[in-house]
Amino acid sequence: MNWAFLQGLLSGVNKYSTAFGRVWLSIVFLFRVMVFVVAAEKVWGDEQKDFKCNTAQPGCHNVCYDHFFPVSHVRLWALQLIFVTCPSLLVVMHVAYREDRERKHRLKYGENCRKLYQNTGKKRGGLWWTYVLTLVFKIGVDATFVYLLYHIYEGYDFPSLIKCTQVPCPNTVDCFIARPTEKRIFTIFMVVTSLACIVLSVFEILYLIGKRCAECLTGEKRSHRPMTNTMSSGSSLMEANNLKMSKSNTPETPAPSYSVAIS
């Protein structure tokens, strides 16, 4: 798996994310990807080789291992990390589409034309919905894999001794897992980090929705203020015109004339 490509993808998405999104990226890359690459793969190693059973019956060892570990933890986590990080590529692709559209618009109408987007990376319109849908998908992926891990292995524990009665084992066979405590710690750590990512994604969705609602309310207030000012100025103008008309319609009374009596 090309982890360098995954690192570049996460770094590109970082500049289009909110504060919650940046924390999510840090947890994914530092506490999940790095721990998975550096420690988890070495802890598990060759799982089937380290799985020991106290029988020499041909096929019993393989059947018991397949029964208790139908899917490898390492491969399951690798799939989880791929599915949970790739949706972020949709945000980068949407921004690239906006930038290409803006470039073509300038080539067609000139550099001084009106911009289609004030900021191609600002989460407005379709980009806002793309971002929110990727968060919903990430929550669904992490929740699904946490449930699958619990359902497939019947919990997050690694017992030191496993009783196997599968065919073709002749009787109840005791099987032993290598480094069960270490594997239990890593499993719980990966589950906790997945739950933390789910909580951060939920908070980010609530933050985006709350910010959008606040902007809509602010926009309505701003649009209401000019309308009120226009109505008040219009009413004052009408009052001034009425005053002028009343003055023009009032007849002028001639000044009284006085006759001087000459005696």
Side-chain angles (χ1 to χ4, degrees):
M1 182 176 179
N2 191 354
W3 297 109
F5 168 75
L6 182 60
Q7 179 183 2
L9 173 62
L10 297 180
S11 301
V13 175
N14 190 35
K15 58 183 178 181
Y16 305 123
S17 302
T18 62
F20 292 105
R22 294 187 182 97
V23 175
W24 183 90
L25 288 172
S26 300
I27 292 177
V28 169
F29 186 72
L30 295 177
F31 295 99
R32 295 176 70 176
V33 175
M34 294 300 294
V35 169
F36 175 80
V37 174
V38 175
E41 289 183 332
K42 295 181 180 180
V43 168
W44 263 259
D46 190 356
E47 302 171 60
Q48 190 169 1
K49 183 179 179 181
D50 296 333
F51 187 78
K52 304 294 184 181
C53 296
N54 60 350
T55 181
Q57 178 70 27
C60 180
H61 176 273
N62 295 334
V63 169
C64 291
Y65 178 81
D66 184 70
H67 175 72
F68 290 106
F69 300 99
V71 181
S72 171
H73 281 71
V74 176
R75 293 177 181 86
L76 194 66
W77 287 331
L79 288 175
Q80 181 181 3
L81 290 174
I82 291 172
F83 281 116
V84 84
T85 53
C86 283
S88 300
L89 183 62
L90 294 176
V91 178
V92 179
M93 292 174 63
H94 199 145
V95 174
Y97 165 74
R98 281 186 165 188
E99 292 175 350
D100 183 66
R101 188 181 176 190
E102 186 70 33
R103 181 183 60 83
K104 291 180 179 179
H105 181 73
R106 289 182 179 180
L107 290 175
K108 185 176 181 180
Y109 297 102
E111 292 293 332
N112 297 325
C113 65
R114 184 180 179 182
K115 293 183 178 181
L116 295 175
Y117 307 99
Q118 294 298 328
N119 186 359
T120 55
K122 196 170 184 179
K123 291 178 283 295
R124 293 291 183 275
L127 184 60
W128 188 89
W129 284 105
T130 301
Y131 195 90
V132 172
L133 289 177
T134 56
L135 292 177
V136 174
F137 185 80
K138 291 173 186 178
I139 294 172
V141 169
D142 276 332
T144 300
F145 275 91
V146 168
Y147 171 75
L148 285 177
L149 193 67
Y150 182 86
H151 179 72
I152 293 174
Y153 302 107
E154 298 180 355
Y156 307 119
D157 193 18
F158 280 85
S160 301
L161 176 64
I162 295 176
K163 300 287 186 179
C164 179
T165 58
Q166 301 296 313
V167 179
C169 297
N171 47 28
T172 301
V173 177
D174 295 333
C175 296
F176 304 91
I177 304 172
R179 299 188 295 274
T181 304
E182 193 173 9
K183 292 180 178 179
R184 184 186 307 115
I185 292 173
F186 274 99
T187 301
I188 295 174
F189 177 82
M190 296 297 284
V191 170
V192 169
T193 53
S194 298
L195 295 176
C197 289
I198 292 174
V199 173
L200 284 172
S201 296
V202 172
F203 283 162
E204 189 171 9
I205 291 176
L206 296 176
Y207 168 76
L208 290 172
I209 294 175
K211 185 179 179 181
R212 187 62 177 166
C213 293
E215 289 176 354
C216 291
L217 293 176
T218 306
E220 289 181 359
K221 290 181 180 179
R222 288 178 180 176
S223 61
H224 182 67
R225 285 176 183 175
M227 186 180 297
T228 306
N229 295 333
T230 304
M231 292 177 65
S232 61
S233 61
S235 60
S236 60
L237 183 60
M238 290 178 64
E239 290 177 359
N241 290 333
N242 292 332
L243 184 60
K244 289 181 180 179
M245 290 177 65
S246 62
K247 287 182 179 180
S248 61
N249 293 331
T250 303
E252 296 183 357
T253 57
S257 60
Y258 298 96
S259 60
V260 180
I262 299 176
S263 59

